[in-house]
Amino acid sequence: MVDPDAVTRVVEAAGPHDLVLEPGAGEGVLTRAFAETCGQVVGYEIDPLLAGKLAARTSGDERIRVVRGDFLAARAPREPFAVAGNIPYAVTSKIVDWCLRAPGLTSATLVTQSEYARKRTGDFGRWSMLTVRTWPWYRWELLDGIGREAFRPVPAVDSAILRIERRTAAPGQAVPDLPGYRDFVEYGFTGLGGSLHATLRLRHPADRVDAAFAAAGVDPDAVVAHVHPDRWRVLYEHLHR
C-alpha cells in the first residue's frame, strides 16, 4: 500500500488499541502507522527477507515487534487484542476464521478484495452463511473502498476495508448464548425445501414456522440469502422457545 490517504483511512478505521496483531506486515507501511495510535503492534511476516528488513528498520521502536512466521500459526493472546492489516488475499478466509476463533479478539479491520468484503456485509443484497451464523456475536461492516491504484504493484482487483467487531453486552446483560443457533443457520442454508420457509417446515410445525416468519416480517417466499441476519435471530427465538 503506497497511498498515504489509504493508509490513514485504514488506521482510522482500526482505531486505537493496546495490542494489535498485523498479518502480512510486508515492508511495514501500516505497521509503523498503527504504532502511532496503538500501544503495541506485532507484525507477522512469512517472507524471511521482508521480515528481516522490517525488523531492522524498527529495531529502535519499542512499540513494534516483528515475528518472522505465519500469522495463521500464531497463538492468540490471552488479553484483549485487535487484528488489523492489509492481509494476503489468498488466505483471507483462513485469517477471518482465525480471528473468529480467538476469544480475546475485540475487532478485526482487514483490507480485503472488494468482492469478499461486499459479500460478507450484504452489499450485494445477499447475506453469506458465515455472516448470518456469527451475527449475534460479531458485527460485519464494509467501511470504505480502496482503489487498486493505491497499491504497488497494481493488482487486478479493487480492495475494501472490512470491519469485524465483537459485540459487547449492554450493562447488566449477558452476551447471548443461543444454543443451537449456528446449526439452525447452517440447516436453513441447505435449501432442502427450496425456500427458507419450506426448509424450516421440514423440522418444525408449519403453524410455528408461519408465526415465526410473521413475527420476523419475512416473506415466506424470500430467498434464504436475502433474509437479513437480524431476522434470523427472530426466527430462531420463535422456533426455539
Side-chain angles (χ1 to χ4, degrees):
M1 187 177 292
V2 296
D3 182 2
D5 177 64
V7 171
T8 297
R9 284 185 284 150
V10 173
V11 173
E12 290 179 348
H17 300 278
D18 292 335
L19 174 62
V20 171
L21 273 54
E22 181 192 7
E27 297 182 356
V29 174
L30 281 172
T31 313
R32 294 189 291 269
F34 288 141
E36 294 300 320
T37 61
C38 300
Q40 179 78 38
V41 180
V42 182
Y44 289 82
E45 178 51 57
I46 200 169
D47 185 310
L49 182 59
L50 286 175
K53 288 182 177 179
L54 179 57
R57 292 193 193 109
T58 60
S59 60
D61 193 334
E62 296 182 351
R63 302 169 300 180
I64 297 174
R65 180 165 67 91
V66 179
V67 176
R68 306 183 191 192
D70 187 355
F71 170 79
L72 293 172
R75 179 177 296 179
R78 293 183 178 180
E79 68 267 34
F81 71 97
V83 171
N86 175 27
I87 64 176
Y89 292 172
V91 290
T92 296
S93 294
K94 291 181 179 180
I95 289 175
V96 168
D97 288 344
W98 186 100
C99 291
L100 295 175
R101 291 195 306 268
L105 180 88
T106 58
S107 66
T109 306
L110 310 173
V111 178
T112 72
Q113 287 189 17
S114 178
E115 183 177 0
Y116 181 90
R118 295 183 66 191
K119 178 181 178 182
R120 293 299 184 218
T121 57
D123 197 56
F124 288 121
R126 300 174 64 88
W127 295 92
S128 71
M129 183 172 68
L130 176 62
T131 308
V132 176
R133 194 176 62 207
T134 59
W135 191 259
W137 303 279
Y138 293 94
R139 180 182 295 104
W140 298 70
E141 293 181 274
L142 173 63
L143 295 185
D144 203 356
I146 299 179
R148 63 194 73 183
E149 67 280 355
F151 303 87
R152 293 293 183 275
V154 179
V157 296
D158 290 326
S159 301
I161 302 174
L162 171 66
R163 171 88 169 179
I164 307 170
E165 185 173 356
R166 185 185 295 275
R167 299 182 189 274
T168 56
Q173 297 183 2
V175 176
D177 185 19
L178 306 183
Y181 176 82
R182 291 177 176 85
D183 291 338
F184 173 74
V185 172
E186 290 174 5
Y187 177 75
F189 267 87
T190 63
L192 292 175
S195 66
L196 176 60
H197 183 269
T199 298
L200 294 179
R201 286 180 64 164
L202 296 176
R203 278 194 173 180
H204 302 275
D207 59 338
R208 292 189 61 194
V209 174
D210 292 344
F213 270 70
V218 178
D219 190 317
D221 294 326
V223 175
V224 61
H226 291 173
V227 179
H228 192 281
D230 285 340
R231 303 298 91 201
W232 278 88
R233 173 79 176 269
V234 178
L235 294 173
Y236 165 85
E237 290 177 341
H238 274 74
L239 292 172
H240 289 78
R241 288 175 175 173

